[in-house]
Amino acid sequence: MAGQRQAAAGVGHVHLQVGDVQSAHEFYVGTLGFEKTAGWHGQALFVSAGGYHHHMAMNVWNSRGAGPRRDTLGLGEVLIEVPSGDDVAALADRLKVAGVESHHTGAELRFEDPWRNRIRVAVR
């Protein structure tokens, strides 16, 4: 459709490959503040915000024991939208306490999880 502008697409939830579920729990629940909604035999973790069944999941099905991913593999980044700037500021504080490097661009907070999945957090 040459010349026509396409609308942005969004994904309802994502599944990330991680090296271990316990570290994923510590990062995504303990540091980021998601709620654990389910687990699956120590192989997967499902998390959400606001009581939804899950917004994100992390699993070890193809990645058990994996370290940081190479830039050439997998999903490039995840954008998480939050209701307010106060939510972004509170997350920045939690990341600092946890020793996670982050950068606030003025529009969004950027950081990486333990497997180098890039995460961006911005106000809706």
Side-chain angles (χ1 to χ4, degrees):
M1 301 178 80
Q4 288 187 329
R5 184 180 182 131
Q6 298 295 313
V11 175
H13 65 269
V14 297
H15 289 243
L16 301 175
Q17 292 184 357
V18 298
D20 70 276
V21 172
Q22 181 59 39
S23 295
H25 185 278
E26 291 167 6
F27 185 79
Y28 284 95
V29 176
T31 301
L32 298 193
F34 281 102
E35 300 162 4
K36 176 182 176 180
T37 59
W40 194 76
H41 306 289
Q43 297 180 31
L45 169 68
F46 299 84
V47 300
S48 78
Y52 187 66
H53 67 88
H54 77 279
H55 289 103
M56 296 181 76
M58 299 83 205
N59 70 66
V60 296
W61 298 326
N62 294 309
S63 57
R64 185 179 305 279
R69 72 175 184 83
R70 295 189 311 253
D71 285 337
T72 58
L73 295 176
L75 184 69
E77 64 186 25
V78 174
L79 170 63
I80 299 170
E81 295 178 324
V82 296
S84 74
D86 289 342
D87 296 312
V88 176
L91 175 57
D93 289 343
R94 290 194 307 274
L95 290 169
K96 184 175 182 177
V97 167
V100 177
E101 274 190 47
S102 66
H103 173 69
H104 200 295
T105 68
E108 62 190 25
L109 184 64
R110 296 179 179 184
F111 54 94
E112 292 181 342
D113 77 2
W115 300 276
R116 293 187 55 213
N117 293 304
R118 290 185 301 271
I119 311 234
R120 298 170 30 227
V121 177
V123 176
R124 272 187 215 129

